[in-house]
Amino acid sequence: GVFAFWKQGSSLARLKLHRISRGTTGEDTPSRPIGEVFRTEEGVGVQTGRGIIFLEELQLEGRTRLPIEEFLKGNPSFIGGILQ
């Protein structure tokens, strides 16, 4: 599996990324800060050093696995956050 850490204030929350997909933008150079979480017409994306990945399903450590839209209902500050 793929893991990331979400910076929340002064602490880090561990996330398991259960389902992700690669963006179809064709951009190989970052247009945003690496790790930034943002919303596009395609979904919820994360900027990487080589383009964008889209989050489809994830899980906070110790919590239930959720589709991204359900996750955002309980964690609206995730958009604009940084994954490490």
Side-chain angles (χ1 to χ4, degrees), residues 11-79:
S11 64
L12 292 176
R14 187 174 180 198
L15 288 169
K16 182 169 186 180
L17 310 180
H18 285 279
R19 286 190 332 132
I20 61 174
S21 59
R22 181 151 164 62
T24 58
T25 61
E27 295 179 25
D28 285 336
T29 56
S31 59
R32 298 172 179 269
I34 293 175
E36 182 178 352
V37 180
F38 57 95
R39 187 181 288 280
T40 70
E41 291 178 8
E42 291 182 67
V44 176
V46 178
Q47 181 67 59
T48 73
R50 302 184 109 193
I52 299 168
I53 60 167
F54 288 96
L55 304 175
E56 298 174 14
E57 194 173 66
L58 48 83
Q59 178 180 9
L60 271 173
E61 187 169 47
R63 300 288 182 101
T64 304
R65 179 177 175 168
L66 295 170
I68 186 64
E69 292 303 327
E70 290 297 313
F71 179 83
L72 290 174
K73 288 178 184 177
N75 300 283
S77 65
F78 189 64
I79 301 294

